[in-house]
Amino acid sequence: MAEPRPVLEMAGIVKEFPGVRALSDVDFRLFPGEIHALMGENGAGKSTLIKVLTGVYSLDGGTITLDGRSVRIASPLQAQQAGISTVYQEVNLCPNLSVAENIFIGREPTRMGRIQWKRLRREAAELVDRLGLDIDVSAPLSSYPLAVQQLVAIVRSLNTGAGDGEGPGTKVLILDEPTSSLDRDEVLQLFALMRRLKEEGVAILFVSHFLDQIYEVCDRMTVLRNGTLVGEHMVSDLDQVGLVQLMLGKAMGQLDELHEHQLRSDAGDTLVQADGLGRTGGIAPFDLEIRKGEVIGLAGLLGSGRTELARLLFGADQPDTGKVTIGGRRVSMSAPNDAIGAGVAFCSENRKSEGLVPDLTVRENIILALQASRGWTRPIPVAQRDELVAKYIKALDIRPANPEARVGQLSGGNQQKVLLARWLITQPKLLILDEPTRGIDIGAKAEIQKLVVSLSEEGMSVLYIAAELEEVLRLSHTIGVLRDRRLVAQIANGPEITTSRILETIASGEHQ
Amino acid sequence: MSATTQSPTASDSRTPSSSPSRAARLLGDRRLPVAVTALLFLLMYGGGLARYQYYGFAEPQVFLNLFIDNGYLLVAAVGVTFVILSGGIDLSVGSMIGFTTMFTAWLVERQGLPLLVVVPMALAVGAFGGFLMGYVIHNFEIQPFIVTLAGLFLFRGLCLVISKESISISDSTVSSMAQAQASLGVGFLSIGAIVSLVVLAVAFYVLHYTRFGRRVYAIGGNEQSAMLMGLPQGGTKIAVYTVSGFCSALAGLLFTLYIQSGDPLHATGMELDAIAAVVIGGTLLTGGSGYVLGTLFGVLVLGLIKSIIQFEGTLSSWWTKIATGVLLCTFILVQRFMTTRKKA
């Protein structure tokens, strides 16, 4: 074999959680000077594999070999010392400290135990310059936007182990969804840096949901499915269709069904009528009519007021002008309880912080909203409860199909489904979905979109918010376009409506 | 998508080059709360000067007495500052001070041990007590509130195990140390005041110029991140409670020196004074933000309230508590305003 020796080899990796076998017998190898993509749906075990490698989780079976030597990695610190650095999806830095400190903390230059602040700032500024960033390293990290914080996290991880000669330098750099909060220019900046590191011989493990990015920058990929290894391929040998089929374990045709979905134009009676509803600092007053069984998609840039509009309709923020009638009755909307009582359900975009209770089981999380709407004095009979939970786990294909699994241990896509199940069980009349498909893979995305279609066919109204215009266009009967915190147009969907038409509307603020 | 108020063109506001504006930086500056407390102290002192000018308030010794009368509180509050900066809380401080007074008085008076032996023993016991609490907090992942509450009861109970009655100290070394004065020309400082200022200086150095100090801030800022950044957060947490235990014991020794007796009920509730001083000094109770210098001003403000009420003469000493309560409430509201302002 002409192949060089891999810098990292993981063999027969097993990781179990109570009720879940997250990884079974997974092999993985990484060569120096390559960018390697780790692919798989949500719940396939990507995050678990990374956490095992970085010492966040302990290993239940298998071996890790680094540079030909067998290693046991018990903590993130050990991983760093061994030359494995990680940048996580969420920025894991301390916002209260300065940029320079965040880059160096734990490895500050010291003389006789005294931190040399001047040297620290100077070196931090040099590192930041090398990346082409123009930021003040002595300012607190919290004063910069998330994208910059992400780049600082990368600067930090690159510098781990290097510098004062304590460590061997970074051999393996793990980038777990680093691009999800970056814009196109920042992504290019990141890719340029990745390529440079690759030339320096660093092995990079890259995880991203954006297939185009994988094909743009990666050399090799490993595909996981349901916690098992599907295969290792060179990126040039496998096209995107083939990759998706490997990830999903089914043929592409099944995904296309959705495109065939006929948009119904014969929507029913008015369900929700908002007149002049608005909130200062949130969104300018708007009129909106939602009919029974209608899917309304909201399109607009980040920060254009999509979420604010949804929150007003749910009573999560109090409107200062206008009124809402639901099913012919005026609803005061002074608190979410009013909206829930009128049959509105809201799936927040922050499923972690505003939706699920990670330490409760799938069953408890699903049943939460239904129990709340019944009141605490009328418990749901056990048999009925178990039946309901089983029904929704099956209907939404929540994996693992174990009602007793803790929600915190599920993958992002499955957590989203649990949140959906919670609201569906209360049988709402209007379902508000705020970015339900963000951060989840294509398979789960398609399932959630199919679900929206079938719910609409059953007569449920849906207010659908998504960053991807194609998604909005595919699902919606009517598209509401937002711009600068104003609902500028409502467009009836039809064959002649394209993403570029909507983009024009977003850009110009007018609908021709 | 969050409720951030950014300019309409999303790409503009995201360019890395955008530096925070000047006004935002001033408001976001973490030194601002300390400056506010220092200003408050100056205003109060100026007010005192104007009102009690002819009653001797202008004597430099009145100012120096603030350090003499509150030295032990300053030492305890410095320990608590470490704990609060790390995002924790220590309720055992008052009991630990009370216990140290009893322990010291008992060993010196009843057992006849020389002070030179007793002092390191008392400090070791305090540090070990703090270490144990830190160990339990970290290894069993229990809320610091509960663990140190247990410490509060435990050490207060141990006071009564030693003796149910107060033990006054007649040891000659103790009384000569208590009366020792370091002249500054315009006035004098006691040993307790000097020790407390040394502790303050050491704490400042440790927090700002050592890796340990920066880890305390990092953990207080985001413990999960600190762990993922590879910082030894467990050891740091245990060390923080050890520091607080040590400072409490040292405060107990200074208190013994100040009051020359041990009593099972000494320093009851002093942990709350210490926490109040830290918070008034601008340290966020959520951790990660604050300065030990702020704690100094917090202690001075509390001490000054006491002095002013003494000068007033007709007011009951309970007014001290009322004034402290009002101040604390105001400062927490100001902190709340500042942190929400920063997020917006």
Side-chain angles (χ1 to χ4, degrees), chain A residues 190-444:
Chain A
L190 172 66
F191 284 178
L193 183 79
M194 283 167 66
R195 293 198 181 97
R196 190 155 71 213
L197 290 168
K198 174 179 141 181
E199 277 162 27
E200 287 173 16
V202 177
I204 299 175
L205 172 57
F206 182 65
V207 179
S208 170
H209 278 304
F210 301 101
L211 294 188
D212 290 340
Q213 292 182 356
I214 301 289
Y215 278 85
E216 191 176 337
V217 78
C218 294
D219 306 309
R220 189 194 295 264
M221 59 173 99
T222 293
V223 183
L224 299 179
R225 190 171 67 230
N226 289 337
T228 56
L229 177 70
V230 177
E232 189 198 85
H233 301 270
M234 296 305 288
V235 170
S236 49
D237 296 343
L238 187 68
D239 63 2
Q240 293 208 14
V241 175
L243 172 61
V244 170
Q245 284 175 1
L246 280 182
M247 282 165 62
L248 297 181
K250 52 188 163 193
M252 198 68 183
Q254 284 165 283
L255 286 177
D256 290 334
E257 273 172 36
L258 205 61
H259 299 280
E260 309 294 320
H261 155 62
Q262 290 293 314
L263 295 167
R264 298 186 319 163
S265 51
D266 57 329
D269 310 330
T270 301
L271 175 71
V272 178
Q273 176 73 49
D275 291 315
L277 199 63
R279 175 182 161 89
T280 319
I283 184 160
F286 63 90
D287 299 331
L288 184 68
E289 183 195 15
I290 304 176
R291 285 169 300 169
K292 203 165 175 301
E294 186 180 29
V295 179
I296 297 210
L298 293 184
L301 295 173
L302 202 78
S304 60
R306 300 176 308 199
T307 299
E308 287 76 3
L309 189 153
R311 286 175 67 90
L312 277 188
L313 281 179
F314 187 61
D317 292 327
Q318 285 72 55
D320 10 78
T321 61
K323 64 184 172 89
V324 184
T325 50
I326 299 179
R329 262 184 342 121
R330 171 97 194 259
V331 180
S332 77
M333 287 294 173
S334 56
N337 246 342
D338 300 328
I340 294 171
V344 181
F346 180 79
C347 287
S348 156
E349 59 179 334
N350 295 322
R351 55 178 171 261
K352 276 193 188 129
S353 58
E354 292 176 19
L356 294 167
V357 188
D359 285 334
L360 293 184
T361 63
V362 169
R363 173 174 57 77
E364 288 162 330
N365 267 291
I366 290 181
I367 222 76
L368 210 57
L370 181 62
Q371 183 67 72
S373 69
R374 283 170 66 106
W376 298 111
T377 50
R378 293 193 302 142
I380 305 161
V382 175
Q384 188 192 341
R385 185 193 67 191
D386 290 348
E387 189 190 331
L388 272 173
V389 170
K391 180 180 147 198
Y392 279 95
I393 287 179
K394 188 153 179 286
L396 300 185
D397 190 22
I398 294 171
R399 274 176 281 173
N402 172 8
E404 302 304 326
R406 276 177 42 205
V407 160
Q409 285 163 351
L410 266 55
S411 67
N414 282 307
Q415 289 186 354
Q416 188 66 53
K417 289 182 191 167
V418 170
L419 192 58
L420 260 171
R422 173 196 292 174
W423 289 111
L424 292 178
I425 220 168
T426 64
Q427 299 180 321
K429 295 184 191 122
L430 171 65
L431 178 65
I432 302 175
L433 297 174
D434 192 355
E435 299 261 18
T437 56
R438 189 175 64 172
I440 68 178
D441 60 85
I442 346 176

Side-chain angles (χ1 to χ4, degrees), chain B residues 71-278:
Chain B
Y72 57 90
L73 180 61
L74 178 57
V75 172
V78 164
V80 172
T81 309
F82 274 81
V83 175
I84 292 183
L85 278 177
S86 79
I89 194 87
D90 189 351
L91 297 179
S92 69
V93 170
S95 296
M96 184 73 88
I97 293 174
F99 174 76
T100 309
T101 67
M102 278 307 279
F103 183 73
T104 312
W106 182 69
L107 285 181
V108 171
E109 284 299 308
R110 301 280 162 86
Q111 307 300 317
L113 288 181
L115 197 62
L116 209 64
V117 177
V118 175
V119 167
M121 276 173 76
L123 292 177
V125 168
F128 183 68
F131 169 81
L132 276 187
M133 288 189 286
Y135 183 84
V136 171
I137 289 166
H138 169 62
N139 283 54
F140 302 103
E141 292 177 19
I142 302 175
Q143 300 278 345
F145 184 92
I146 296 298
V147 177
T148 57
L149 185 64
L152 183 155
F153 286 116
L154 185 71
F155 285 106
R156 192 59 74 185
L158 283 177
C159 289
L160 291 159
V161 171
I162 293 175
S163 165
K164 288 188 185 63
E165 277 136 41
S166 129
I167 305 172
S168 62
I169 300 174
S170 50
D171 183 84
S172 60
T173 338
V174 174
S175 49
S176 65
M177 275 178 78
Q179 280 153 18
Q181 295 179 351
S183 175
L184 292 179
V186 292
F188 65 88
L189 284 177
S190 66
I191 289 183
I194 293 168
V195 169
S196 69
L197 289 174
V198 169
V199 167
L200 181 77
V202 171
F204 180 82
Y205 181 84
V206 168
L207 281 174
H208 295 282
Y209 289 97
T210 67
R211 290 185 177 180
F212 166 68
R214 303 320 293 170
R215 285 205 301 267
V216 172
Y217 277 90
I219 286 176
N222 188 334
E223 193 176 334
Q224 183 71 15
S225 291
M227 194 262 286
L228 288 173
M229 288 205 284
L231 302 179
Q233 103 277 24
T236 308
K237 254 162 105 176
I238 294 174
V240 155
Y241 288 93
T242 310
V243 166
S244 180
F246 177 86
C247 284
S248 302
L250 185 55
L253 287 171
L254 299 185
F255 195 70
T256 314
L257 208 57
Y258 183 69
I259 221 151
Q260 294 191 48
S261 73
D263 188 302
L265 293 179
H266 269 337
T268 308
M270 195 177 286
E271 62 280 349
L272 303 181
D273 289 334
I275 293 169
V278 172

